[in-house]
């Protein structure tokens, strides 16, 4: 029998996250969107509340929750602000390769100190000429004695330049294509790694997205993750686990937009009555609500499969793709319902619409998600 009933523990953490968002994030979200800065005081509070590093096992200092619980929290946090959530939520993306392919010694060495305080991590895969085409990576790694030497430039990296730990993907031999790609662990204080240009973004502004530049960065030989040449596989396995979380954050953004549209429609009067009484508005609200419910169901299914130890490449891509498309449609409709006010920064829906767009792009554009889904269908 299938059940959608949350456990008592899941209900408790959902309430804790919801209360935290209403108290600590919603009141300052517009301010930091305008400043385009990370609210560091909120990151510290998230850490103290135990709502950070949810996916990291307890023995290494994390919370050790299951994927569905992680998705529940991600939805609540993104309801408050996608950018703020992305700052600390990005740790899941950057640390998952270590959880997948790291040795016990690597996990002990990097995870425990990392989780001892509110540190941030960065996942360094994308490059100026290597976005969807990972095989085009130009960042190089060469072995010199007992050290790896890394050189290259990464772009569009969340927490780039402010992270305490970087998971860097580089090639040991470009002629091998994806078979030359290897993953490395680079502490943020390693000489030669630093942040470059900070991006000015349409939305998602309360997160720090920048270039990461590596100039003769030397790390110990043992900082390679998995086998040499297994980096592409590690990256794809990581995305299988993290794409449903992008879906969860998209659901959070869409749900917030629906709530704002509902509130406005009940208060705004035209022709002598609230616009919520007009069928045209009710149909829009109904469509928004249906799409959100369907998106959440896809996210939870993908997470449930991961919790069962099942392969969820197709389902994760579906969850991310569908939910982010829903977030875009719902936020656009919310702006439409608010009319002229929806276009103004005094109301939150214009920010929600700007934020929603990035969910269709990062961790693989939705065109790439459809490619992944199609290939998985043909395999089946």
């Amino acid at each position: 029998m299938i059940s959608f009933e949350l456990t008592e523990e899941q209900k408790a953490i959902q309430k804790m996250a919801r209360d935290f968002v209403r108290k600590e994030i919603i009141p300052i979200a517009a301010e930091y969107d305008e400043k385009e800065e990370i609210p560091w005081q909120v990151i510290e509070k998230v850490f103290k509340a135990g709502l950070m590093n949810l996916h990291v096992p307890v023995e290494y200092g994390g919370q050790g929750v299951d994927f569905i619980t992680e998705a529940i929290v991600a939805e609540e946090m993104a309801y408050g602000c996608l950018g703020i959530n992305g700052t600390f939520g990005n740790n899941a993306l950057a640390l998952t390769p270590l959880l997948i392919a790291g040795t016990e010694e690597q996990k002990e060495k990097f995870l425990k100190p990392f989780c001892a305080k509110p540190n941030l991590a960065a996942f360094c895969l994308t490059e100026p000429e290597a976005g969807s085409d990972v095989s085009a990576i130009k960042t190089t790694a060469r072995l010199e004695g007992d050290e790896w030497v890394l050189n290259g430039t990464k772009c569009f990296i969340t927490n780039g330049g402010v992270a305490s730990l970087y998971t860097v993907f580089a090639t040991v031999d470009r002629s091998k294509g994806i078979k030359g790609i290897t993953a490395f662990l680079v502490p943020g204080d390693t000489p030669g790694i630093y942040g470059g240009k900070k991006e000015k973004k349409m939305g998602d502004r309360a997160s720090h997205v920048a270039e990461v530049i590596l100039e003769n960065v030397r790390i110990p030989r043992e900082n390679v993750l998995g086998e040499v040449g297994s980096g592409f596989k590690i990256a794809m396995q990581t995305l299988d686990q993290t794409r449903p979380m992008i879906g969860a954050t998209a659901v959070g953004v869409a749900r917030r937009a629906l709530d704002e549209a509902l509130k406005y429609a009940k208060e705004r009067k035209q022709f002598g009555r609230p616009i919520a009484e007009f069928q045209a508005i009710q149909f829009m609200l109904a469509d928004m609500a249906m799409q959100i419910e369907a998106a959440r169901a896809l996210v939870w299914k993908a997470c449930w499969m991961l919790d069962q130890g099942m392969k969820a490449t197709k389902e994760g891509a579906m969850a991310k793709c569908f939910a982010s498309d829903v977030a875009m449609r719902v936020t656009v409709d919310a702006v439409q319902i608010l009319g002229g006010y929806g276009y103004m920064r005094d109301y939150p829906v214009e920010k929600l619409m700007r934020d929603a767009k990035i969910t269709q792009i990062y961790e693989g554009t939705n065109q790439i998600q459809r490619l992944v889904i199609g290939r998985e269908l043909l395999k089946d």
Side-chain angles (χ1 to χ4, degrees), residues 9-10 12-18 21 46 50-52 54 65-80 85 88 245 248-249 252 255 300:
E9 181 181 359
Q10 287 170 333
I13 196 169
Q14 182 185 53
K15 183 180 185 303
M16 181 169 67
R18 191 168 291 178
V21 164
V46 170
L51 293 169
M52 194 167 165
L54 295 174
V65 304
D66 56 74
F67 285 98
I68 289 181
T69 302
E70 188 179 356
I72 290 168
V73 174
E75 178 183 332
E76 296 301 329
M77 290 296 178
Y79 182 99
N85 171 75
F88 58 87
M245 299 308 152
T249 61
R255 198 182 97 221
W300 283 11

Side-chain angles (χ1 to χ4, degrees), residues 28-194:
I28 55 95
E31 175 189 350
Y32 282 88
D33 175 75
E34 193 71 27
K35 289 180 177 179
E36 300 190 42
E37 295 177 0
I38 295 173
W40 291 103
Q41 75 280 11
V42 173
I43 306 304
E44 292 178 2
K45 290 177 181 178
V46 170
F47 179 80
K48 290 179 181 178
L51 293 169
M52 194 167 165
N53 301 323
L54 295 174
H55 66 302
V56 178
V58 174
E59 58 264 35
Y60 304 118
Q63 303 304 315
V65 304
D66 56 74
F67 285 98
I68 289 181
T69 302
E70 188 179 356
I72 290 168
V73 174
E75 178 183 332
E76 296 301 329
M77 290 296 178
Y79 182 99
C81 178
L82 184 76
I84 295 174
N85 171 75
T87 298
F88 58 87
N90 189 68
N91 282 8
L93 175 63
L95 297 181
T96 293
L98 177 54
L99 295 174
I100 289 173
T103 64
E104 187 59 33
E105 290 75 19
Q106 288 173 330
K107 292 174 184 177
E108 289 280 342
K109 179 180 178 180
F110 291 102
L111 288 177
K112 281 190 174 180
F114 186 88
C115 293
K117 56 184 180 179
N119 289 306
L120 300 178
F123 182 84
C124 300
L125 181 65
T126 302
E127 297 185 4
E129 295 181 24
S132 298
D133 182 10
V134 177
S135 66
I137 280 179
K138 291 183 178 179
T139 297
T140 60
R142 70 177 187 276
L143 191 60
E144 291 188 0
D146 288 330
E147 292 183 319
W148 286 99
V149 183
L150 277 60
N151 283 280
T153 300
K154 300 292 182 176
C155 67
F156 306 149
I157 306 302
T158 299
N159 298 332
V162 298
S164 299
L165 183 66
Y166 295 85
T167 303
V168 178
F169 294 84
T171 180
V172 297
D173 186 346
R174 288 198 66 195
S175 68
K176 293 182 178 180
I178 60 173
K179 293 183 179 180
I181 297 172
T182 305
F184 300 89
L185 296 167
V186 183
D189 59 0
T190 305
I193 186 168
Y194 57 93

